[in-house]
Amino acid sequence: ARSDIDHFSYQDTKYECQRRTPLNHHNKKFTEAFEILEKHASYIDREHGESRALAFRKASCALKSYPREITRIDEISKITHVGEHSLRVITDILENGYSEEVQDIISCEMFHVIELFTGIYGCGPSTAHKWYSLGHRTTQDIKDNAEILNLNVQQKYGVEFYDDLNAPVDMPDALRIQRLVVEQLDLIQPSCSAEIVGGFGRGKQCGHDIDILISHPEEDKVEGLLVKLVNRLTTLGCMLHTALSVGKNVVRKETFVKTKATQTRSTMDNLDRCFAIMKVEKSATDNDSCNSWIARRVDLIITPSSQYAFSLLGWIGSKQFNRSLRLYAWKEMKIHLNSHGMWDHKLTPPKRILATDEEEIFKALHLDFVERKDRNC
Ligand code: DCP
Ligand code: MG
C-alpha cells in the first residue's frame, strides 16, 4: 500500500479551513450517502449521535475537497477523517454501487418521519421523537393535534407554512428581499449596507432561508436600527412572524468576556438579529397557487462596522468551515475568533486584533485565503 498522500492538490489536514471545498465536487455518490448517515446518527442515536454525525460530516468534507472522483479505496485509506466506518461505506459503494447500511436507513419509516418533523420550523430531533412516539406520522397529524401537543409559536408557524418554508429559496427571492430591506433602510438610515450572506454568499443557487447582514460605515449608526427596520417591515405587512434578539452585543474593546450563553452555544453570536418569516411576492413563474406571495425564512443580522469583517466571515459560513476555522485559531494560534472579533490569548491580558476585511483575518491566522465559493464544507 502507498503511504504517501500525493492525490494531486489534495491537502490532508485536520482543519477544513486549510483546503478548498467547492460546491460542485467529484464524489457526490459518496457524500450523499454520508449525509444520510450523518442525519441518521443525529436523529436516532441519542447518546453518541452528535460525535458520530460529526465524524461522517468530516469524512464527507474530505471527499468534497478531493480533486477527482475516487475509484479505488487505497487512494483515500490514509486520509485524515476518513475512518474505518466511512471506508466501509465507500468500499460498498465502489464494489456494489450502493451501501446496504444507507439502503436500510432509507427504508426505515422512523427515519423519514423524524426527517419530516425536523423540517418543521422550531422542531428539533427530540421533539420529533416525542411526536413520533405518540403515533404521529404526518404534518397534518401535528396540525390536527396542535392543542394537545402544546405547539410553541414557531412550531405553529412551521406547520401552518410547512410547504412554503420547505420549498427551496432561490436567488431571485433572495434579491427581492434584499431590495425590500435596502429600500426601507434608506428611509431609516441612509448609507446602510445589506449583504446577502449564508449559502447564497458561497455560490449556492438555492437554500433554506435568506440571510442578510446589515451595517453602516459609522460605528454607532446601527444602534436601534433593527427594531426600526422590523417595525417598518411589519407596518408594510411583510412580516408573518418575528423573533428578535437585541442588545446582547457586549464586546468590550480589549477582551471578549464569554457569558454563559456564548459558552453553551459557541457557534452563535450576540449580534442584534431577527429571525423572521416574511411574505415574499411570487415571481411570474410561480403561478401554481392562488396566493400572490410565499412565506420565506429570513435572518436579518446587524453588525457595527468595527466587527463587520468578522460577522461577514461568520455568516458566510459554512457552519463546518467556521467550526474548523475557530478550532484552528484556538488550537494552533491561541486566538479566540468569533463573529465579533478576534483576541490573541498568547498575551495577558488578551489583545484584540482588528481586521477590516476577510483577507486580513486569514492573514492574522497565517492561513491561505479561502474564497467564499470554496467554503462549502
Ligand atoms: N452559522 C453558524 N453557526 C450556526 C448558525 C449559523 O456558524 N449555529 C453561520 C454559518 C452559516 C450561516 O450562519 O453558513 C447561515 O446559517 P444558515 O443556517 O442559514 O446556513 P446556510 O445559509 O449556510 O445554509 P442554507 O443555504 O441552507 O440556508
Ligand atoms: Mg441560509
Side-chain angles (χ1 to χ4, degrees), residues 198-199 202 204 207-209 211 267-268 314-319 322:
R202 302 191 306 276
K204 279 173 70 172
H208 91 285
D209 69 355
D211 308 289
T267 55
M268 295 304 280
W315 276 89
I316 287 285
S318 67
K319 274 175 208 143
N322 286 349

